[in-house]
């Protein structure tokens, strides 16, 4: 339509030109411009309406597309999640089962380990018993040692008391002269006391000491034959005659000591007859016989070749082996192993059959899962 | 001049000689005179008197020489250098018993100072004559000869071997059986000196049948004899298991335990040494001693002794406990642990403390029960203070550290561990915190106690490098408690709270 207008416009212009009608031209021109404006407005409006409508169409189409896509995606996502969920459930189930198995296995292992230790390795009650026995033994030893120590102390005290008693006795014997007499009361028996001092009684009981003989100090005698060393009681007297004893003469009609000793230790002067033994002849004969026998090789009498030898029995020597083998019986074995020497033809019979478990004693039953 | 006057001259000379030699012998008994005597040249004067005609002069000269040589080793060297020994040895074989005693005394006095002098005695062939003297009738001569042999054999193994090769051992065993107590003592001490050097020598002594006689003499009431006998048996038993078993087979238990109650200190010491030497070899021997009640006797003996006499008893307890946990438990029930902790705290000497620390470590290292038994007696703080103190010797520090470490690794008794949190050095703190981290997750009462006693607070204050073992332990402890409590006890919490107060905007209605 616009083209027609244009055409019309052109025609009008040309007609106007042709007709030289200026008024018709300006009138036409005025009409054309108003119509022009109106036309533009209408055009715009029409365009707007059209675009809006087109937009609605497109949007409706897109909406339609979206719905479909959403449905597809929804289903796809559901599918994936369900897969995942199944996996998760499988894993959880598996974990739960494994946990259960583990706890059960732990229970079994616990029981087995406890059983094994208790049966084969370590006996707790035995240990307790042992420790109790040890503590009892300790107590017994402690008591015994206490008793021993007490006994020792008592003995020592006793010895100490005895020593003190001996000491006091000796003192009393030394101080015997302090004893009180009828005329003069001694220092321990004062008249102002009720009863005499215990020392007084001791002095009464004590026997006075005898005078100590002055010790003869043995100066080293200078004579040349004094160098016989041993004069103590343990050694034998070296000289034939005993040395003289330094002692004053005893009272009474005694003989001279030297004479007596000489007589006592006089050596024997035997007669010729006494000096020889009574059986000299017999001894001489024996001596001769022994000398002759010494040179003999064979002590048997020589016998002629007669039937004397035929009845001789052969006596086997003790040291040669005999068929009963007496020596090795108690020394090397008790029970005969060789079947030929048995009395009966059978061996000893065992009462019980052997128990195979005992051969495994000390070794474990299972070894990393393998059954032995 | 008449004959008598001539003889008088000789008599005067003899008198002078005897007087001189007697005076010298008497002067030589006092140490202050010996210097003067030496400077006066007494050795060269005594030497010819040894060859004198008169036997008494010879004997007294030998006696004087012996006393001089006894005093110090210079004089003994002078005796050796003066070639006196061969003369002595030669005349030993021929003279009477007084001379033999005096000559053996000289040999003993020379041989006791050093191995070289003893070697000199052996080199001049004295051993054979001494062994011949051992066969003499007189017990005094035997005693002197045995004493000399003992002193020679004391120094080292070669000299002992020389003594054994001379055939002294069977004769010494015979000497032990003699009735005289002094002779028995000396023979026992000689056997002890011979057997202490090596197992072969000990075996020689055992082969001569010494053990049975020595074991019988344990019952003798004389204290010095018991000392020597017990020492001889312990020297024999210390070398190997077989020898120890042979000593045990002589049925010394339980008789030896009565010696632990003796009044004499050295008898107690030697008896505990013997028991220690037997116990240290194998668990079976220790078990035997435990079954015979030996542990209780030793523990009582520890209570009654002081000082160095305690040391063998302490070591014996350590050896017994070291073998196995059952034996350690036996030591615990015999009340050994309180006694050992008393020894640890009371004794002034470091080496005894070190031994006590070692023994406690051996007892406590086996299981938590054992560690608990050691920990309840409050010995761990004592051990820690010994480890930390600068005055302790290095040995004591090392041993107490090892003992603490061993006990802590098994200790689950928390009240004893708590003091360690406060004053322990970092290397021990690691173990302590580790133990806490093991125990706390399982015990709710212990957790409560840990919080109320301030332990958690202390743990928070410990600075540890991240990633180290200590940090892991601290984390595991912190995981046992709710977060608020951990935060509450963390250091600087009050500051953070105050900061929050500062920065808080009050709600104004």
């Amino acid at each position: 339509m616009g083209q027609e207008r244009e055409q019309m416009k052109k025609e009008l212009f040309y007609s106007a030109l042709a007709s030289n009608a200026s008024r018709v031209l300006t009138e036409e021109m005025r009409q054309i411009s108003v119509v022009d404006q109106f036309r533009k407005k209408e055009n715009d409006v029409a365009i707007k309406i059209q675009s809006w409508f087109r937009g609605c169409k497109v949007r409706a189409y897109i909406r339609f597309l979206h719905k479909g896509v959403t449905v597809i995606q929804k289903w796809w996502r559901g599918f994936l999640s369900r897969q995942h969920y199944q996996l998760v459930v499988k894993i959880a189930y598996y974990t739960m089962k494994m946990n259960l198995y583990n706890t059960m296995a732990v229970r079994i292992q616990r029981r087995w380990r406890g059983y094994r230790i208790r049966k084969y390795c370590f006996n707790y009650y035995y240990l307790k018993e042992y420790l109790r026995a040890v503590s009892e033994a300790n107590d017994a030893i402690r008591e015994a040692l206490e008793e021993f120590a007490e006994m020792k102390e008592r003995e020592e005290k006793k010895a100490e008391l005895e020593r003190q008693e001996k000491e006091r006795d000796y003192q009393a014997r030394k101080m015997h002269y302090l004893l009180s007499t009828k005329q003069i009361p001694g220092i321990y028996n004062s008249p102002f006391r009720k009863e005499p001092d215990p020392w007084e009684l001791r002095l009464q009981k004590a026997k006075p000491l005898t005078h100590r003989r002055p010790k003869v100090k043995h100066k080293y005698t200078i004579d040349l034959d004094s160098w016989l060393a041993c004069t103590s009681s343990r050694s034998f007297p070296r000289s034939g005659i005993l040395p003289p004893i330094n002692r004053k003469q005893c009272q009474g009609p005694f003989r001279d000591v030297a004479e007596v000793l000489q007589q006592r230790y006089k050596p024997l002067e035997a007669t010729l007859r006494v000096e020889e033994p009574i059986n000299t002849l017999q001894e001489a004969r024996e001596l001769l016989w022994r000398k002759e026998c010494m040179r003999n090789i064979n002590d048997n009498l020589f016998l002629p070749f007669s039937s004397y030898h035929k009845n001789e029995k052969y006596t086997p020597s003790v040291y040669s082996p005999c068929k009963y083998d007496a020596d090795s019986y108690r020394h090397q074995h008790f029970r005969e192993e060789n079947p030929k020497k048995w009395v009966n033809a059978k061996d000893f019979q065992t009462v019980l059959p052997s128990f195979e478990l005992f051969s495994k004693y000390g070794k474990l039953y299972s070894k990393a899962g393998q059954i032995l | 001049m008449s004959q008598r006057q001539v003889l008088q001259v000789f008599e005067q000379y003899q008198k002078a000689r005897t007087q001189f030699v007697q005076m010298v012998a008497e002067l030589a008994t006092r140490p202050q005179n010996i210097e003067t005597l030496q400077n006066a040249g007494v050795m060269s004067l005594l030497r010819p008197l040894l060859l004198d005609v008169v036997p008494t002069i010879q004997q007294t000269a030998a006696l004087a020489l012996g006393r001089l040589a006894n005093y110090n080793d210079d004089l003994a060297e002078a005796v050796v250098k003066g070639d006196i020994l061969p003369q002595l040895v030669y005349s030993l074989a021929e003279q009477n018993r007084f001379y033999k005693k005096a000559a053996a005394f000289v040999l003993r006095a020379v041989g006791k100072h050093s191995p070289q002098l003893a070697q000199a005695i052996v080199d001049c062939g004295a051993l054979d004559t001494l062994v011949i003297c051992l066969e003499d009738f007189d017990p005094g001569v035997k005693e002197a000869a045995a004493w000399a042999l003992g002193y020679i054999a004391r120094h080292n193994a070669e000299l002992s071997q020389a003594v054994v090769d001379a055939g002294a051992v069977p004769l010494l065993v015979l000497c032990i059986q003699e009735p005289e107590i002094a002779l028995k003592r000396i023979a026992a001490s000689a056997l002890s000196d011979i057997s202490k050097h090596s197992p072969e020598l000990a075996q020689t002594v055992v082969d001569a049948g010494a053990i049975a006689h020595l074991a019988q003499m344990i019952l003798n009431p004389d204290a010095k004899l018991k000392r020597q006998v017990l020492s001889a048996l312990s020297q024999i038993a210390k070398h190997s298991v077989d020898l120890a078993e042979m000593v045990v087979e002589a049925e010394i238990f339980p008789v030896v335990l009565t010696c632990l109650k003796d009044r004499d200190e050295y008898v107690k010491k030697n008896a505990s040494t013997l028991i220690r030497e037997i116990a240290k070899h194998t668990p079976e021997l220790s078990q035997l001693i435990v079954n015979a009640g030996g542990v209780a006797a030793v523990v009582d003996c520890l209570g009654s002794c002081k000082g160095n006499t305690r040391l063998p008893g302490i070591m014996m307890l350590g050896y017994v406990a070291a073998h196995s946990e059952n034996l350690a438990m036996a030591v615990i029930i015999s009340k050994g642990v309180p006694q050992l902790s008393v020894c640890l705290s009371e004794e002034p000497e470091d080496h005894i403390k070190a031994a006590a620390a070692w023994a406690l470590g051996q007892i406590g290292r086996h299981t938590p029960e054992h560690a608990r038994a050691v920990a309840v007696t409050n010995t761990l703080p004592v051990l820690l203070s010994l480890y930390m103190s600068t005055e302790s010797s290095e040995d004591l520090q090392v041993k107490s550290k090892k003992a603490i470490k061993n006990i802590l690794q098994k200790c689950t008794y928390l009240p004893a561990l708590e003091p360690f949190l406060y004053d322990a050095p970092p290397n021990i703190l690691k173990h302590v915190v580790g133990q806490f981290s093991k125990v706390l997750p399982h015990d709710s009462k212990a957790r409560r106690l840990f919080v109320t006693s301030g332990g958690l607070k202390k743990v928070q204050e410990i600075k540890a490098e991240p990633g180290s073992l200590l940090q892991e332990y601290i984390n595991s402890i912190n995981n046992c408690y709710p977060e608020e409590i951990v935060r509450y006890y963390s250091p600087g919490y009050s500051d953070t709270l105050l900061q929050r107060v500062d920065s808080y905007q009050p709600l104004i209605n």
Side-chain angles (χ1 to χ4, degrees), chain A residues 356-372:
Chain A
E356 217 220 348
L357 185 63
F358 288 154
S359 62
K360 290 197 189 159
Y361 179 69
K363 304 181 210 156
L364 301 176
Y365 261 19
S366 78
K367 190 169 146 184
Q370 294 165 348
I371 301 169
L372 284 175

Side-chain angles (χ1 to χ4, degrees), chain B residues 73-356:
Chain B
D73 47 347
D74 289 329
L75 287 162
E77 283 244 24
V79 168
V80 171
K81 282 210 193 99
D83 273 339
I84 299 180
L85 291 177
Q87 177 55 40
L88 272 177
V89 170
Y90 174 67
S91 39
L92 244 184
E94 299 167 359
Q95 296 287 351
N96 61 22
R97 60 196 169 100
F98 298 105
Y99 187 79
K100 283 187 188 171
K101 272 199 257 190
F105 173 48
V106 174
L107 290 172
R108 163 171 49 113
V110 168
K112 84 173 186 187
H113 293 287
S114 80
Q116 289 80 21
L117 291 166
Q119 188 63 44
I121 293 185
V122 171
D123 289 335
C124 66
L127 285 181
D128 294 319
T129 24
L130 282 173
V131 168
I132 293 175
C133 285
L134 269 182
E135 293 173 325
D136 200 274
F137 285 116
D138 185 55
V141 172
K142 283 198 258 204
E143 186 183 326
W147 211 337
L149 286 168
Y151 273 23
I152 291 174
R154 190 178 279 193
H155 294 288
N156 60 29
E158 285 87 31
L159 289 164
S160 281
Q161 189 61 48
V163 169
V164 168
D165 289 337
V169 173
L171 291 167
L172 284 171
V173 173
L174 279 175
C175 284
I176 279 196
Q177 303 167 38
E178 297 279 331
E180 287 84 16
I181 295 262
L183 181 55
K184 285 202 226 237
R185 272 188 222 146
I186 304 296
S189 127
L191 284 172
S192 156
D193 287 330
I194 289 176
S195 47
K196 79 179 178 191
H197 297 286
S198 83
E200 291 82 27
L201 290 163
Q203 188 64 44
T204 324
V205 171
V206 166
D207 288 337
I211 292 191
H213 301 294
L214 288 171
Q216 277 173 1
M217 290 201 288
I218 294 184
L219 293 166
N220 199 299
D222 185 55
K224 290 196 181 154
L225 176 61
K226 273 196 275 204
R227 276 189 216 172
Q228 301 299 339
V229 164
L230 289 168
S231 147
L233 284 170
S234 61
Q235 303 290 5
I236 292 175
K238 79 178 181 190
H239 294 289
S240 79
V241 184
D242 297 318
L243 288 166
E245 281 181 0
M246 290 184 78
V247 171
V248 168
E249 273 168 26
E251 291 181 23
I252 50 172
F253 289 102
V255 177
V256 138
L257 302 178
T258 56
C259 296
L260 285 170
K261 276 282 186 190
D262 204 276
R263 285 175 171 271
D264 192 61
E265 290 289 319
Y266 286 100
V267 172
K268 283 198 258 196
K269 182 174 179 199
N270 287 353
S272 29
T273 313
L274 172 60
I275 302 182
R276 172 191 82 190
E277 300 297 351
I278 293 178
K280 79 177 185 193
H281 291 291
T282 68
E284 285 80 27
L285 284 168
S286 300
Q287 181 113 30
L288 198 136
I289 295 176
V290 167
N291 291 350
V295 176
V298 167
V299 167
D300 286 348
C301 173
L302 278 183
S304 64
C305 298
K306 291 263 175 273
N308 251 328
T309 33
R310 274 178 167 170
L311 185 61
I314 297 176
M315 290 180 69
M316 179 255 176
L317 290 176
Y319 278 126
V320 168
H323 284 301
S324 84
E325 51 181 67
N326 297 342
L327 289 168
M329 188 50 90
V331 172
I332 291 175
I333 62 167
S334 314
K335 305 185 183 76
V337 180
Q339 191 60 256
L340 280 173
S341 50
V342 160
C343 290
L344 187 66
S345 18
E346 262 186 11
E347 287 291 331
E349 303 246 330
D350 271 356
H351 62 274
I352 305 180
K353 285 204 220 229

Side-chain angles (χ1 to χ4, degrees), chain A residues 262-277:
Chain A
Q262 235 179 6
Q263 188 183 353
R264 201 179 285 171
Y265 292 114
K266 205 161 58 169
L268 175 68
E269 292 164 18
T271 60
L272 191 63
R273 185 165 172 264
V274 169
E275 277 191 9
E276 284 198 6

Side-chain angles (χ1 to χ4, degrees), chain A residues 281-295:
Chain A
L281 193 58
Q282 197 178 358
E283 275 179 11
R285 281 190 192 135
E286 270 182 31
L287 193 65
L288 188 61
W289 184 75
R290 245 184 258 128
K291 264 197 197 164
E292 287 195 13
C293 272
M294 193 169 63
R295 289 196 214 112

